[in-house]
Amino acid sequence: MNALRSPKPDSVREKFAQARRELSAALIERDEEVDLVLTALLANEHVLLVGPPGCGKSLLLDAVMNWMSVRKFSILLTKFTTVEEVMGPVSLAALKADRYRRVTTGRLPEAEVCFTDEIWKASSAILNTLLKVLNERVFENDGEAVKVPLRLAVAASNEWPSPDSGKELAAIMDRFLFRKAVRPIGSQAGRQRLLWHRDHTPKLSATITPPEVDRAHAEVAALPWSNAAKDALETILRELAREGVVPGDRRQFKTVTAVRAFAYLCGADGVRPEHLEVAQHCLWDSPEEQPQKVAQVIAKVANPTGMRVTQLLLEVESVLAATDVRNLADAARAAAKLGEIDKQLSTLAGNGRLEKARAYLKDQLRKLKLASIEAV
Ligand SMILES: Nc1ncnc2c1ncn2[C@@H]1O[C@H](COP(=O)(O)OP(=O)(O)OP(=O)(O)O)[C@@H](O)[C@H]1O
Ligand SMILES: [Mg+2]
């Protein structure tokens, strides 16, 4: 069965598919990050991106924020940021009446989507309040637990919290179901695009409203898991335990919805093993060696299209980097290898990213042939 189903043009799923296409087209080598942020929104969960300065984190997260026509809150945290700036100032009128109530207008407690940049720089006081907002979606105001409307929290940082940074940061880390390391652009073609395109800001042709997000949540919840996918998840968890990676029960449980949300984003009718790809960003606790172990186990058990595509594209890059196009024998060898990789790609089930990878490969083959003809 093909993984791609054509959603009705006016359906909310098509809106997600369109945003996915437009974001991936504008941002260079950020397909996985785009998928992750959209999946988080669909799963009603939060996402953390960690990567070096200037690798497109804010560009992506700002674009997704703009796409959502909801109340937003965005802040660059420093060690000097005060709780007032995040949660709102204390009401003077209330103080006069011996109450300690924050005026939350325009601040995090009233936001439906929030972006916290440099999250680990925040003070303990901010992190503690954030914890409750992210996890229980509740904010304590003047002794009263107020429900917050938060749908999606996105966060970015240049580094993971150090292992000895204490329980507070570990607790916040755990509130992000999706966490991913973002790497700089790797391909030659990507670097050229980065250098010579004037503007990389994604321009999305539509926006999404809260009722539409609610509808998408309901559609995600209705997506069934196939038995093969259930077996694959159980096998993955068993194999991970053998490797010493045991994500907490809450994390394991939430992964079920995460994978459903990703299957929905891929346009599938139900969850199949290949959709477990997204679980590589959920099923670990410590960012040092575990993410790689989890990725290996998932790749082995579920053989997801996206992970195979990433791996084969890396092979394409190493073939191109090692080829001297002016040397005809070298170019012919490279063309044969690229042809072989395309054959492998053609056996995979489509997931949106596959089609783009094949188009890229074809383009590289064409350029390779042209360059070697010119050399002659
Ligand atoms: N993958 C990418 N695709 C398109 N443009 C990119 C990409 N990576 C970097 N850029 C360019 O670099 C600029 C800086 O990116 P951005 O501000 O999103 O980085 P960042 O990861 O948020 O960095 P910091 O950690 O310093 O906040 C972008 O505005 C864009 O022009
Ligand atoms: Mg940034």
Side-chain angles (χ1 to χ4, degrees):
M1 184 164 63
N2 195 303
L4 277 182
R5 197 185 71 158
S6 297
K8 278 185 256 122
D10 61 341
S11 73
V12 61
R13 194 193 301 224
E14 173 51 26
K15 274 205 160 176
F16 272 86
Q18 188 182 17
R20 185 190 192 206
R21 281 192 302 271
E22 291 176 350
L23 288 165
S24 294
L27 296 161
I28 307 157
E29 295 177 21
R30 293 293 164 260
D31 294 9
E32 285 181 55
E33 288 78 6
V34 166
D35 283 358
L36 211 57
V37 180
L38 295 180
T39 302
L41 176 60
L42 285 166
N44 206 21
E45 288 293 341
H46 311 310
V47 61
L48 166 68
L49 299 180
V50 174
C55 66
K57 301 183 295 295
S58 295
L59 206 57
L60 164 62
L61 298 177
D62 283 336
V64 174
M65 297 267 289
N66 287 335
W67 177 56
M68 297 173 68
S69 87
V70 296
R71 274 170 294 159
K72 301 161 198 180
F73 179 76
S74 192
I75 192 161
L76 175 67
L77 293 161
T78 72
K79 59 182 174 183
F80 303 111
T81 309
T82 59
V83 178
E84 281 66 37
E85 288 170 79
V86 184
M87 303 296 173
V90 175
S91 156
L92 290 180
L95 261 189
K96 281 184 196 147
D98 269 352
R99 313 289 304 264
Y100 195 82
R101 189 170 52 78
R102 291 191 185 280
V103 182
T104 54
T105 320
R107 311 287 172 163
L108 176 59
E110 297 200 9
E112 286 162 289
V113 55
C114 81
F115 176 16
T116 45
D117 208 350
E118 295 297 342
I119 183 159
W120 312 125
K121 302 256 163 71
S123 66
S124 301
I126 292 179
L127 290 174
N128 276 326
T129 350
L130 253 183
L131 256 183
K132 216 161 177 150
V133 170
L134 292 182
N135 194 37
E136 294 159 38
R137 313 218 182 193
V138 158
F139 170 63
E140 291 278 345
N141 203 2
D142 194 19
E144 189 192 345
V146 184
K147 253 196 108 36
V148 301
L150 189 68
R151 290 164 181 277
L152 170 71
V154 293
S157 172
N158 294 142
E159 71 261 301
W160 298 103
S162 72
D164 49 0
S165 56
K167 278 197 173 148
E168 220 161 44
L169 297 195
I172 288 274
M173 265 282 278
D174 196 43
R175 294 317 183 259
F176 290 92
L177 180 62
F178 300 96
R179 298 158 309 182
K180 183 177 188 307
V182 185
R183 299 188 205 296
I185 292 166
S187 71
Q188 293 263 12
R191 188 137 317 273
Q192 284 172 349
R193 253 181 78 197
L194 174 78
L195 296 177
W196 310 122
H197 276 220
R198 239 169 243 277
D199 187 6
H200 301 288
T201 315
K203 312 235 171 6
L204 301 191
S205 51
T207 56
I208 194 145
T209 61
E212 285 175 322
V213 175
D214 288 342
R215 196 145 21 104
H217 284 164
E219 290 177 13
V220 166
L223 228 58
W225 271 70
S226 66
N227 285 336
K230 284 183 183 173
D231 284 350
L233 177 58
E234 289 178 25
T235 309
I236 287 166
L237 290 172
R238 264 198 313 275
E239 296 225 351
L240 283 177
R242 226 174 282 146
E243 299 258 354
V245 181
V246 185
D249 289 349
R250 177 176 54 194
R251 202 157 261 288
Q252 294 189 18
F253 177 63
K254 285 186 164 192
T255 299
V256 173
T257 304
V259 178
R260 229 184 227 130
F262 181 58
Y264 177 86
L265 185 67
C266 291
D269 292 327
V271 179
R272 289 191 298 279
E274 71 199 60
H275 300 127
L276 283 155
E277 169 188 342
V278 80
Q280 68 180 302
H281 307 295
C282 308
L283 291 175
W284 50 266
D285 287 317
S286 138
E288 281 85 46
E289 300 147 22
Q290 292 189 355
Q292 210 181 343
K293 275 190 193 166
V294 176
Q296 278 164 357
V297 168
I298 293 180
K300 193 177 77 182
V301 175
N303 193 23
T305 303
M307 289 167 95
R308 284 289 293 148
V309 168
T310 307
Q311 197 186 356
L312 290 169
L313 282 178
L314 281 175
E315 279 178 37
V316 171
E317 288 313 314
S318 70
V319 170
L320 291 176
T323 304
D324 175 5
V325 289
R326 286 159 306 183
N327 178 329
L328 272 190
D330 218 21
R333 249 193 316 273
K337 274 192 202 153
L338 294 188
E340 187 50 45
I341 293 174
D342 188 46
K343 219 187 261 165
Q344 293 188 45
L345 283 171
S346 71
T347 62
L348 301 174
N351 77 344
R353 259 190 254 155
L354 171 68
E355 295 69 18
K356 202 174 144 192
R358 288 197 74 187
Y360 173 73
L361 182 55
K362 276 213 175 74
D363 195 40
Q364 294 308 308
L365 249 174
R366 190 181 52 81
K367 283 188 181 146
L368 183 74
K369 285 179 183 160
L370 272 180
S372 49
I373 290 169
E374 269 170 25
V376 176

PDB file of all heavy atoms in Angstrom, residues 1-7 13 219-220 222-226 260 262-272 275:
ATOM      1  N   MET A   1       0.853  -1.207   0.000  1.00  0.00           N
ATOM      2  CA  MET A   1       0.000   0.000   0.000  1.00  0.00           C
ATOM      3  C   MET A   1       0.878   1.243   0.000  1.00  0.00           C
ATOM      4  O   MET A   1       1.873   1.295   0.704  1.00  0.00           O
ATOM      5  CB  MET A   1      -0.880  -0.014   1.256  1.00  0.00           C
ATOM      6  CG  MET A   1      -1.844   1.119   1.276  1.00  0.00           C
ATOM      7  SD  MET A   1      -3.179   0.856   2.478  1.00  0.00           S
ATOM      8  CE  MET A   1      -2.325   0.808   4.017  1.00  0.00           C
ATOM      9  N   ASN A   2       0.510   2.220  -0.801  1.00  0.00           N
ATOM     10  CA  ASN A   2       1.325   3.429  -0.850  1.00  0.00           C
ATOM     11  C   ASN A   2       1.078   4.299   0.373  1.00  0.00           C
ATOM     12  O   ASN A   2      -0.039   4.423   0.850  1.00  0.00           O
ATOM     13  CB  ASN A   2       0.955   4.207  -2.125  1.00  0.00           C
ATOM     14  CG  ASN A   2       1.990   5.261  -2.416  1.00  0.00           C
ATOM     15  OD1 ASN A   2       2.243   6.119  -1.573  1.00  0.00           O
ATOM     16  ND2 ASN A   2       2.585   5.175  -3.578  1.00  0.00           N
ATOM     17  N   ALA A   3       2.144   4.919   0.883  1.00  0.00           N
ATOM     18  CA  ALA A   3       2.013   5.724   2.108  1.00  0.00           C
ATOM     19  C   ALA A   3       1.311   7.047   1.859  1.00  0.00           C
ATOM     20  O   ALA A   3       0.865   7.701   2.777  1.00  0.00           O
ATOM     21  CB  ALA A   3       3.382   5.983   2.695  1.00  0.00           C
ATOM     22  N   LEU A   4       1.214   7.444   0.604  1.00  0.00           N
ATOM     23  CA  LEU A   4       0.621   8.751   0.337  1.00  0.00           C
ATOM     24  C   LEU A   4      -0.827   8.610  -0.097  1.00  0.00           C
ATOM     25  O   LEU A   4      -1.147   7.855  -0.993  1.00  0.00           O
ATOM     26  CB  LEU A   4       1.393   9.460  -0.774  1.00  0.00           C
ATOM     27  CG  LEU A   4       2.640  10.195  -0.329  1.00  0.00           C
ATOM     28  CD1 LEU A   4       3.262  10.873  -1.514  1.00  0.00           C
ATOM     29  CD2 LEU A   4       2.316  11.226   0.737  1.00  0.00           C
ATOM     30  N   ARG A   5      -1.658   9.358   0.559  1.00  0.00           N
ATOM     31  CA  ARG A   5      -3.058   9.399   0.168  1.00  0.00           C
ATOM     32  C   ARG A   5      -3.296  10.842  -0.206  1.00  0.00           C
ATOM     33  O   ARG A   5      -2.732  11.735   0.412  1.00  0.00           O
ATOM     34  CB  ARG A   5      -3.888   9.035   1.395  1.00  0.00           C
ATOM     35  CG  ARG A   5      -5.285   8.642   1.093  1.00  0.00           C
ATOM     36  CD  ARG A   5      -6.002   8.442   2.398  1.00  0.00           C
ATOM     37  NE  ARG A   5      -6.220   9.727   3.070  1.00  0.00           N
ATOM     38  CZ  ARG A   5      -7.165   9.902   3.970  1.00  0.00           C
ATOM     39  NH1 ARG A   5      -7.925   8.918   4.332  1.00  0.00           N
ATOM     40  NH2 ARG A   5      -7.330  11.076   4.553  1.00  0.00           N
ATOM     41  N   SER A   6      -4.110  11.114  -1.233  1.00  0.00           N
ATOM     42  CA  SER A   6      -4.323  12.517  -1.570  1.00  0.00           C
ATOM     43  C   SER A   6      -5.431  13.070  -0.707  1.00  0.00           C
ATOM     44  O   SER A   6      -6.592  12.689  -0.883  1.00  0.00           O
ATOM     45  CB  SER A   6      -4.710  12.659  -3.033  1.00  0.00           C
ATOM     46  OG  SER A   6      -3.638  12.201  -3.793  1.00  0.00           O
ATOM     47  N   PRO A   7      -5.115  13.965   0.231  1.00  0.00           N
ATOM     48  CA  PRO A   7      -6.177  14.523   1.049  1.00  0.00           C
ATOM     49  C   PRO A   7      -7.040  15.461   0.219  1.00  0.00           C
ATOM     50  O   PRO A   7      -6.579  15.986  -0.776  1.00  0.00           O
ATOM     51  CB  PRO A   7      -5.432  15.304   2.125  1.00  0.00           C
ATOM     52  CG  PRO A   7      -3.986  15.207   1.828  1.00  0.00           C
ATOM     53  CD  PRO A   7      -3.809  14.522   0.531  1.00  0.00           C
ATOM     54  N   ARG A  13      -5.956  18.410   6.856  1.00  0.00           N
ATOM     55  CA  ARG A  13      -4.732  17.643   6.615  1.00  0.00           C
ATOM     56  C   ARG A  13      -3.954  18.229   5.438  1.00  0.00           C
ATOM     57  O   ARG A  13      -2.733  18.301   5.456  1.00  0.00           O
ATOM     58  CB  ARG A  13      -5.069  16.173   6.344  1.00  0.00           C
ATOM     59  CG  ARG A  13      -3.786  15.369   6.446  1.00  0.00           C
ATOM     60  CD  ARG A  13      -3.845  13.966   5.914  1.00  0.00           C
ATOM     61  NE  ARG A  13      -4.758  13.026   6.438  1.00  0.00           N
ATOM     62  CZ  ARG A  13      -4.416  11.760   6.723  1.00  0.00           C
ATOM     63  NH1 ARG A  13      -3.179  11.370   6.629  1.00  0.00           N
ATOM     64  NH2 ARG A  13      -5.319  10.919   7.105  1.00  0.00           N
ATOM     65  N   GLU A 219      -8.753  14.027  14.107  1.00  0.00           N
ATOM     66  CA  GLU A 219      -8.438  13.112  12.994  1.00  0.00           C
ATOM     67  C   GLU A 219      -7.223  12.245  13.330  1.00  0.00           C
ATOM     68  O   GLU A 219      -7.179  11.067  12.993  1.00  0.00           O
ATOM     69  CB  GLU A 219      -8.208  13.915  11.705  1.00  0.00           C
ATOM     70  CG  GLU A 219      -9.510  14.534  11.181  1.00  0.00           C
ATOM     71  CD  GLU A 219      -9.311  15.405   9.939  1.00  0.00           C
ATOM     72  OE1 GLU A 219      -8.234  15.369   9.318  1.00  0.00           O
ATOM     73  OE2 GLU A 219     -10.254  16.138   9.596  1.00  0.00           O
ATOM     74  N   VAL A 220      -6.246  12.858  14.009  1.00  0.00           N
ATOM     75  CA  VAL A 220      -5.061  12.084  14.424  1.00  0.00           C
ATOM     76  C   VAL A 220      -5.504  10.970  15.374  1.00  0.00           C
ATOM     77  O   VAL A 220      -5.103   9.807  15.230  1.00  0.00           O
ATOM     78  CB  VAL A 220      -4.020  12.996  15.125  1.00  0.00           C
ATOM     79  CG1 VAL A 220      -2.970  12.166  15.850  1.00  0.00           C
ATOM     80  CG2 VAL A 220      -3.345  13.927  14.119  1.00  0.00           C
ATOM     81  N   ALA A 222      -8.124   9.413  15.550  1.00  0.00           N
ATOM     82  CA  ALA A 222      -8.908   8.351  14.908  1.00  0.00           C
ATOM     83  C   ALA A 222      -8.048   7.411  14.056  1.00  0.00           C
ATOM     84  O   ALA A 222      -8.540   6.399  13.561  1.00  0.00           O
ATOM     85  CB  ALA A 222      -9.999   8.983  14.037  1.00  0.00           C
ATOM     86  N   LEU A 223      -6.781   7.735  13.884  1.00  0.00           N
ATOM     87  CA  LEU A 223      -5.920   6.912  13.018  1.00  0.00           C
ATOM     88  C   LEU A 223      -5.553   5.602  13.732  1.00  0.00           C
ATOM     89  O   LEU A 223      -4.989   5.632  14.820  1.00  0.00           O
ATOM     90  CB  LEU A 223      -4.634   7.704  12.722  1.00  0.00           C
ATOM     91  CG  LEU A 223      -4.162   7.793  11.280  1.00  0.00           C
ATOM     92  CD1 LEU A 223      -5.239   8.399  10.398  1.00  0.00           C
ATOM     93  CD2 LEU A 223      -2.886   8.612  11.204  1.00  0.00           C
ATOM     94  N   PRO A 224      -5.844   4.467  13.123  1.00  0.00           N
ATOM     95  CA  PRO A 224      -5.546   3.193  13.802  1.00  0.00           C
ATOM     96  C   PRO A 224      -4.077   2.784  13.653  1.00  0.00           C
ATOM     97  O   PRO A 224      -3.431   3.128  12.664  1.00  0.00           O
ATOM     98  CB  PRO A 224      -6.444   2.200  13.066  1.00  0.00           C
ATOM     99  CG  PRO A 224      -6.585   2.777  11.690  1.00  0.00           C
ATOM    100  CD  PRO A 224      -6.497   4.282  11.819  1.00  0.00           C
ATOM    101  N   TRP A 225      -3.588   2.056  14.641  1.00  0.00           N
ATOM    102  CA  TRP A 225      -2.246   1.455  14.551  1.00  0.00           C
ATOM    103  C   TRP A 225      -2.397   0.083  13.906  1.00  0.00           C
ATOM    104  O   TRP A 225      -3.227  -0.720  14.334  1.00  0.00           O
ATOM    105  CB  TRP A 225      -1.669   1.250  15.956  1.00  0.00           C
ATOM    106  CG  TRP A 225      -0.910   2.404  16.490  1.00  0.00           C
ATOM    107  CD1 TRP A 225      -1.413   3.598  16.882  1.00  0.00           C
ATOM    108  CD2 TRP A 225       0.512   2.464  16.696  1.00  0.00           C
ATOM    109  NE1 TRP A 225      -0.396   4.405  17.327  1.00  0.00           N
ATOM    110  CE2 TRP A 225       0.800   3.732  17.222  1.00  0.00           C
ATOM    111  CE3 TRP A 225       1.576   1.576  16.494  1.00  0.00           C
ATOM    112  CZ2 TRP A 225       2.099   4.132  17.546  1.00  0.00           C
ATOM    113  CZ3 TRP A 225       2.859   1.969  16.825  1.00  0.00           C
ATOM    114  CH2 TRP A 225       3.116   3.244  17.328  1.00  0.00           C
ATOM    115  N   SER A 226      -1.566  -0.214  12.917  1.00  0.00           N
ATOM    116  CA  SER A 226      -1.579  -1.571  12.354  1.00  0.00           C
ATOM    117  C   SER A 226      -0.891  -2.506  13.349  1.00  0.00           C
ATOM    118  O   SER A 226      -0.097  -2.057  14.186  1.00  0.00           O
ATOM    119  CB  SER A 226      -0.809  -1.598  11.033  1.00  0.00           C
ATOM    120  OG  SER A 226       0.558  -1.339  11.286  1.00  0.00           O
ATOM    121  N   ARG A 260       1.334   8.413  15.704  1.00  0.00           N
ATOM    122  CA  ARG A 260       0.056   8.609  15.014  1.00  0.00           C
ATOM    123  C   ARG A 260       0.046   9.960  14.289  1.00  0.00           C
ATOM    124  O   ARG A 260      -0.362  10.073  13.137  1.00  0.00           O
ATOM    125  CB  ARG A 260      -1.046   8.625  16.056  1.00  0.00           C
ATOM    126  CG  ARG A 260      -2.179   7.750  15.727  1.00  0.00           C
ATOM    127  CD  ARG A 260      -3.276   7.884  16.754  1.00  0.00           C
ATOM    128  NE  ARG A 260      -3.704   6.565  17.125  1.00  0.00           N
ATOM    129  CZ  ARG A 260      -3.821   6.133  18.357  1.00  0.00           C
ATOM    130  NH1 ARG A 260      -3.535   6.921  19.374  1.00  0.00           N
ATOM    131  NH2 ARG A 260      -4.237   4.915  18.589  1.00  0.00           N
ATOM    132  N   PHE A 262       2.560  11.695  13.273  1.00  0.00           N
ATOM    133  CA  PHE A 262       3.488  11.709  12.139  1.00  0.00           C
ATOM    134  C   PHE A 262       2.876  10.967  10.939  1.00  0.00           C
ATOM    135  O   PHE A 262       3.006  11.395   9.791  1.00  0.00           O
ATOM    136  CB  PHE A 262       4.833  11.099  12.553  1.00  0.00           C
ATOM    137  CG  PHE A 262       5.850  11.110  11.449  1.00  0.00           C
ATOM    138  CD1 PHE A 262       6.233  12.303  10.848  1.00  0.00           C
ATOM    139  CD2 PHE A 262       6.436   9.931  11.001  1.00  0.00           C
ATOM    140  CE1 PHE A 262       7.179  12.333   9.820  1.00  0.00           C
ATOM    141  CE2 PHE A 262       7.378   9.941   9.982  1.00  0.00           C
ATOM    142  CZ  PHE A 262       7.743  11.145   9.386  1.00  0.00           C
ATOM    143  N   ALA A 263       2.193   9.855  11.220  1.00  0.00           N
ATOM    144  CA  ALA A 263       1.535   9.103  10.141  1.00  0.00           C
ATOM    145  C   ALA A 263       0.507   9.999   9.451  1.00  0.00           C
ATOM    146  O   ALA A 263       0.379  10.012   8.223  1.00  0.00           O
ATOM    147  CB  ALA A 263       0.860   7.854  10.711  1.00  0.00           C
ATOM    148  N   TYR A 264      -0.206  10.773  10.261  1.00  0.00           N
ATOM    149  CA  TYR A 264      -1.215  11.702   9.727  1.00  0.00           C
ATOM    150  C   TYR A 264      -0.536  12.742   8.829  1.00  0.00           C
ATOM    151  O   TYR A 264      -0.988  13.022   7.726  1.00  0.00           O
ATOM    152  CB  TYR A 264      -1.914  12.378  10.905  1.00  0.00           C
ATOM    153  CG  TYR A 264      -2.949  13.424  10.534  1.00  0.00           C
ATOM    154  CD1 TYR A 264      -4.272  13.058  10.266  1.00  0.00           C
ATOM    155  CD2 TYR A 264      -2.610  14.768  10.493  1.00  0.00           C
ATOM    156  CE1 TYR A 264      -5.216  14.015   9.953  1.00  0.00           C
ATOM    157  CE2 TYR A 264      -3.549  15.733  10.175  1.00  0.00           C
ATOM    158  CZ  TYR A 264      -4.860  15.356   9.907  1.00  0.00           C
ATOM    159  OH  TYR A 264      -5.792  16.310   9.598  1.00  0.00           O
ATOM    160  N   LEU A 265       0.590  13.280   9.312  1.00  0.00           N
ATOM    161  CA  LEU A 265       1.316  14.293   8.532  1.00  0.00           C
ATOM    162  C   LEU A 265       1.802  13.706   7.204  1.00  0.00           C
ATOM    163  O   LEU A 265       1.838  14.396   6.185  1.00  0.00           O
ATOM    164  CB  LEU A 265       2.515  14.807   9.341  1.00  0.00           C
ATOM    165  CG  LEU A 265       3.313  15.945   8.713  1.00  0.00           C
ATOM    166  CD1 LEU A 265       2.477  17.224   8.653  1.00  0.00           C
ATOM    167  CD2 LEU A 265       4.605  16.208   9.494  1.00  0.00           C
ATOM    168  N   CYS A 266       2.155  12.410   7.229  1.00  0.00           N
ATOM    169  CA  CYS A 266       2.634  11.748   6.005  1.00  0.00           C
ATOM    170  C   CYS A 266       1.489  11.398   5.063  1.00  0.00           C
ATOM    171  O   CYS A 266       1.715  10.853   3.991  1.00  0.00           O
ATOM    172  CB  CYS A 266       3.397  10.470   6.357  1.00  0.00           C
ATOM    173  SG  CYS A 266       4.950  10.770   7.178  1.00  0.00           S
ATOM    174  N   GLY A 267       0.255  11.646   5.474  1.00  0.00           N
ATOM    175  CA  GLY A 267      -0.890  11.379   4.598  1.00  0.00           C
ATOM    176  C   GLY A 267      -1.366   9.936   4.641  1.00  0.00           C
ATOM    177  O   GLY A 267      -2.086   9.504   3.736  1.00  0.00           O
ATOM    178  N   ALA A 268      -0.977   9.185   5.672  1.00  0.00           N
ATOM    179  CA  ALA A 268      -1.330   7.760   5.723  1.00  0.00           C
ATOM    180  C   ALA A 268      -2.708   7.532   6.360  1.00  0.00           C
ATOM    181  O   ALA A 268      -3.190   8.361   7.126  1.00  0.00           O
ATOM    182  CB  ALA A 268      -0.277   6.996   6.506  1.00  0.00           C
ATOM    183  N   ASP A 269      -3.310   6.370   6.030  1.00  0.00           N
ATOM    184  CA  ASP A 269      -4.620   6.005   6.590  1.00  0.00           C
ATOM    185  C   ASP A 269      -4.507   5.380   7.967  1.00  0.00           C
ATOM    186  O   ASP A 269      -5.474   5.260   8.699  1.00  0.00           O
ATOM    187  CB  ASP A 269      -5.303   4.969   5.692  1.00  0.00           C
ATOM    188  CG  ASP A 269      -5.686   5.586   4.376  1.00  0.00           C
ATOM    189  OD1 ASP A 269      -6.017   6.774   4.367  1.00  0.00           O
ATOM    190  OD2 ASP A 269      -5.621   4.870   3.355  1.00  0.00           O
ATOM    191  N   GLY A 270      -3.308   4.910   8.274  1.00  0.00           N
ATOM    192  CA  GLY A 270      -3.097   4.257   9.562  1.00  0.00           C
ATOM    193  C   GLY A 270      -1.608   4.231   9.855  1.00  0.00           C
ATOM    194  O   GLY A 270      -0.794   4.530   8.979  1.00  0.00           O
ATOM    195  N   VAL A 271      -1.276   3.865  11.096  1.00  0.00           N
ATOM    196  CA  VAL A 271       0.138   3.853  11.488  1.00  0.00           C
ATOM    197  C   VAL A 271       0.793   2.566  10.987  1.00  0.00           C
ATOM    198  O   VAL A 271       0.311   1.468  11.253  1.00  0.00           O
ATOM    199  CB  VAL A 271       0.274   3.938  13.017  1.00  0.00           C
ATOM    200  CG1 VAL A 271       1.735   3.890  13.419  1.00  0.00           C
ATOM    201  CG2 VAL A 271      -0.386   5.199  13.540  1.00  0.00           C
ATOM    202  N   ARG A 272       1.869   2.714  10.267  1.00  0.00           N
ATOM    203  CA  ARG A 272       2.654   1.564   9.813  1.00  0.00           C
ATOM    204  C   ARG A 272       4.057   1.653  10.414  1.00  0.00           C
ATOM    205  O   ARG A 272       4.472   2.722  10.865  1.00  0.00           O
ATOM    206  CB  ARG A 272       2.707   1.557   8.288  1.00  0.00           C
ATOM    207  CG  ARG A 272       1.354   1.182   7.665  1.00  0.00           C
ATOM    208  CD  ARG A 272       1.503   0.925   6.187  1.00  0.00           C
ATOM    209  NE  ARG A 272       1.956   2.124   5.510  1.00  0.00           N
ATOM    210  CZ  ARG A 272       1.146   3.110   5.161  1.00  0.00           C
ATOM    211  NH1 ARG A 272      -0.136   3.054   5.433  1.00  0.00           N
ATOM    212  NH2 ARG A 272       1.622   4.166   4.541  1.00  0.00           N
ATOM    213  N   HIS A 275       6.383   4.708  10.152  1.00  0.00           N
ATOM    214  CA  HIS A 275       6.102   5.972  10.836  1.00  0.00           C
ATOM    215  C   HIS A 275       6.780   6.057  12.201  1.00  0.00           C
ATOM    216  O   HIS A 275       6.774   7.113  12.832  1.00  0.00           O
ATOM    217  CB  HIS A 275       4.581   6.165  10.979  1.00  0.00           C
ATOM    218  CG  HIS A 275       3.886   6.192   9.656  1.00  0.00           C
ATOM    219  ND1 HIS A 275       2.821   5.376   9.356  1.00  0.00           N
ATOM    220  CD2 HIS A 275       4.152   6.905   8.538  1.00  0.00           C
ATOM    221  CE1 HIS A 275       2.441   5.596   8.110  1.00  0.00           C
ATOM    222  NE2 HIS A 275       3.237   6.513   7.586  1.00  0.00           N
TER     223      HIS A 275
END
